[in-house]
């Protein structure tokens, strides 16, 4: 059996997506080994989840650095200590510098709480409601230098109800995030998913620019 794919997870907060990965990947024979969880915030609850699962944790606080590039260089050095085959951003609330993104090109994944390319950036649930969207959801994509603009891997849609609030919508979107992020990481680990020069390749074939789309 080939060795598991070494995964490093970066987060800043609650880490429910990390938890979904822990639940999915800590079985014997898993194709993914979560080597480390790194946070820029010492109080991120995700660190607690990692410790409980016996995963190594590191904290690198960004405030001590002179600028984004300096922090990102230190972060890269720390991440690389764990020899990652893949790096997953799971609620890592930092914009990453081009140098960081280039360094992990083709092995850096992110989850975003909207059906990209709609609603890049923050407050996506509120914005979906304000826009009158009938469908909302979440997306896993490879990270490129364009913020929330990298090639899509998989999206899950949820129907918007007329009485939804940002909170109720967020809950349903989150439940879908917990399905599609481990799925995408598993595909990557199994060698089914890669980023080619012309876009995402899945099972040896070019994937549609919308990625896999999962509808309720
Ligand atoms: C998720 O909504 C994800 O889409 C976004 O950040 C949030 C992280 O949530 N990138 P959690 O920390 O995994 O619970």
């Amino acid at each position: 059996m080939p060795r598991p794919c070494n995964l490093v997870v970066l987060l800043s907060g609650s880490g429910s997506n990390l938890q979904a990965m822990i639940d999915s990947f800590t079985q014997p024979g898993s194709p993914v080994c979560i080597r480390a969880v790194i946070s820029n915030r010492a109080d991120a609850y995700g660190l607690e989840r990692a410790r409980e699962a016996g995963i190594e944790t590191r904290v690198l606080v960004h405030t001590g650095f002179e600028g984004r590039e300096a922090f990102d260089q230190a972060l890269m050095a720390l991440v690389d200590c764990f020899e990652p085959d893949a790096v997953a951003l799971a609620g890592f609330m930092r914009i990453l510098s081009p140098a960081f993104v280039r360094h992990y090109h083709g092995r850096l994944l992110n989850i975003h709480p909207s059906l990209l390319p709609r609603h890049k950036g923050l407050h996506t649930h509120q914005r979906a409601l304000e826009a009158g969207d009938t469908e909302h959801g979440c997306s896993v994509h490879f990270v490129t230098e364009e913020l929330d603009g990298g090639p899509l891997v998989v999206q899950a849609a949820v129907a918007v109800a007329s009485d939804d609030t940002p909170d109720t919508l967020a809950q349903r979107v989150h439940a879908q995030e917990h399905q599609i992020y481990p799925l995408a990481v598993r595909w990557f680990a199994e060698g089914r998913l890669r980023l080619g020069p012309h876009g995402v390749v899945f099972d040896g074939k070019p994937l549609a620019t919308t990625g896999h789309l999962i509808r309720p």
Side-chain angles (χ1 to χ4, degrees), residues 66-81:
E66 265 188 39
R68 189 176 302 286
E69 278 71 24
F71 173 74
D72 280 8
Q73 286 298 330
L75 183 59
M76 265 187 259
L78 182 58
V79 169
D80 285 348
C81 292

Side-chain angles (χ1 to χ4, degrees), residues 136-153:
H136 183 47
C138 48
S139 311
V140 176
H141 64 95
F142 281 102
V143 177
T144 60
E145 289 178 39
E146 191 193 338
L147 186 66
D148 298 328
L152 290 162
V153 174

